[in-house]
Amino acid sequence: MPIKYLFQAGNYISQVEDTLYGSFVEHLGRAVYTGIYEPGHPQADENGFRLDVASLIQELQVSTVRYPGGNFVSGYNWQDGIGPKEQRPVRLDYAWLSKETNEFGIGEFYKWSQKFGVTPMVAVNMGTGTPQEAGYFVEYANIKGGTYFSDLRKQHGFEEPFNFKYWCVGNEMDGPWQTCHLEAHEYARKALETAKIMHWVDPSIQLIACGSATTTLPTYPEWDRVVLETVYDEVSCLSCHHYFENHTGKIEDFLGSYVLMDNFIHTITSTADFVKAKLRSKKDMMISFDEYNIWSINGEPWMDYFNRDPNNRFTKAPPLLEQHYTFLDALVLGGLMCTLVNHCDRVKMASLAQLVNVIAPIFTQPGGAVIKQTIFYPFKWLSVYGRGKALRYFANVPCIETIHGQTKTLQSAAVYNDERKEIAFFVLNLDQKQDQEISFVLDGFGKVELFEHHELSGCPLDAMNTFETPDAVTPKVVPVTAAEKESLTVKVPALSFNLYRLKVEGEL
Ligand code: AHR
């Protein structure tokens, strides 16, 4: 018997915000230099922006891009990256022990974002930085003119303000690896005073406070409570960060990573709701899941990771965190992204970390080609077809036991798009042997037609896309059979991630 997925018109979770499909570019490794920016590359424009890379970013329909970090931002003075390039200082970057030339700074990022249609999400330095420097940054970016920093921007060739809307108040300040890491109460006070100044300069901006950097820190989730109790009224979102790894070596545990993300979001929304009640507030705190991805540190101790090869310190754009993604990683990412959609009533922003070269869906050769990594595809499906209203549904899905406890073997999300009058249904089958028959039962949607099926399946779990074989892992479009159309029943292959598109007649 097929598993029935029951949908009812009008029964939806929330609007999926476009900002759920953001990503992240940090001054780290080759994300900026030889990633998005490489003057002299045959595909670079007059600004040095790589057009081959930009066209893949546009294919992904990335909404926001978080910049300039990440750990990098906690030692970064934004004023190093403005004005004439030849006068900018070359600095030591404490986060990644690299050399930062500052050829690419906030003005270049703004230009790049405008040219390629992404919305900037910028971060201020809460490590070595001060509340006043954060205020100056907002002034430089968002004040029209007539003050020192806004006029400086004009002198730098930007007559109109950048009008940055989304601002992260620091990055992972709970992490002992962070430059000038703080205790929860210290960060909370500093973030509050910084947020006040930033809002005085521009009351329209939306601020994101640092939440837990991972669930494995001993401060989780107490950090989030302490921070929220102090900054609640000043911020719109609290951040969550989490990277997923195959810790146990068991495929089912890794594929079940979505449960970990789900639990994380539950914990943080519950903590936020506790604080809301305590403060007698009427506002719901939203979540910005602004770092998530698969990152296989391969058991390397976290701190050692940052203090890399002692013979390779302080070079410009060293190849760091250049993970080559597998077919299995793509399946895991599909499951994680379904979880984000299913929580879209509280998760209003998210950033796949990162975008180019550094744990990223897009990978370049300096001076050479660019390829799509395996994780490019699930991100693209969700980003392109996962906009609209996330539907609630009921399905009685069999479970298996994993490290996360009882884990559903199918992880899915469904989004209704009003303009296209269609439902996109995304589903991961994490069972390693069992194909699963499912049928769509839609109540109140009028005439329904299943018209397209995309499938990522049938590859060795360790298959990767390389410069030699860039299409080793690519999705296929599987023709929808007459029987499937008739019965709205389909077979979801074992170990696959799928997109089904259904045309519907009625309004939601
Ligand atoms: O994305 C890589 C790093 O992971 C980021 O710099 C940091 O915020 C996180 O620890």
Side-chain angles (χ1 to χ4, degrees), residues 435-455:
D435 298 343
Q436 202 64 264
E437 239 192 351
I438 66 168
S439 68
F440 300 104
V441 181
L442 295 113
D443 178 16
F445 287 93
K447 190 168 163 280
V448 179
E449 192 204 349
L450 173 64
F451 70 99
E452 210 169 85
H453 174 203
H454 299 243
E455 188 178 289

Side-chain angles (χ1 to χ4, degrees), residues 47 49 81-85 88 105-114 139-145 149-164:
N47 303 297
F49 303 153
I82 57 174
K85 286 196 185 194
R88 296 184 193 173
I106 204 70
E108 287 74 26
F109 176 65
Y110 172 71
K111 246 192 206 165
W112 178 83
S113 69
Q114 295 308 290
E139 180 187 333
Y140 183 87
N142 286 13
I143 293 288
K144 218 168 160 27
F149 281 106
S150 57
D151 287 343
L152 192 60
R153 184 200 65 240
K154 289 181 174 203
Q155 275 174 39
H156 293 160
F158 300 100
E159 189 54 34
E160 292 304 317
F162 301 156
N163 289 325
F164 292 151

Side-chain angles (χ1 to χ4, degrees), residues 24 26 70-71 96 171-172 177 243 291 295 302 354 359:
F24 177 27
E26 176 170 2
N71 298 335
W96 304 104
N171 175 71
E172 297 189 350
W177 59 85
Y243 292 95
E291 284 189 37
W295 180 4
W302 185 242
Q354 299 194 5
I359 39 174

Side-chain angles (χ1 to χ4, degrees), residues 187 207-212 221 223-225 227-228 231 235-241 264 268-269 271-272 285-290 346-347 349:
Y187 169 70
L207 303 184
I208 298 128
C210 293
S212 284
W223 167 278
D224 304 82
R225 179 191 69 76
V227 169
L228 282 180
V231 303
V235 305
S236 333
C237 289
L238 183 73
S239 73
C240 291
H241 289 183
F264 188 7
I268 297 304
T269 48
T271 306
M285 183 58 57
M286 298 300 162
I287 291 179
S288 173
F289 214 119
D290 47 42
R346 296 303 286 271
V347 181
M349 309 186 78

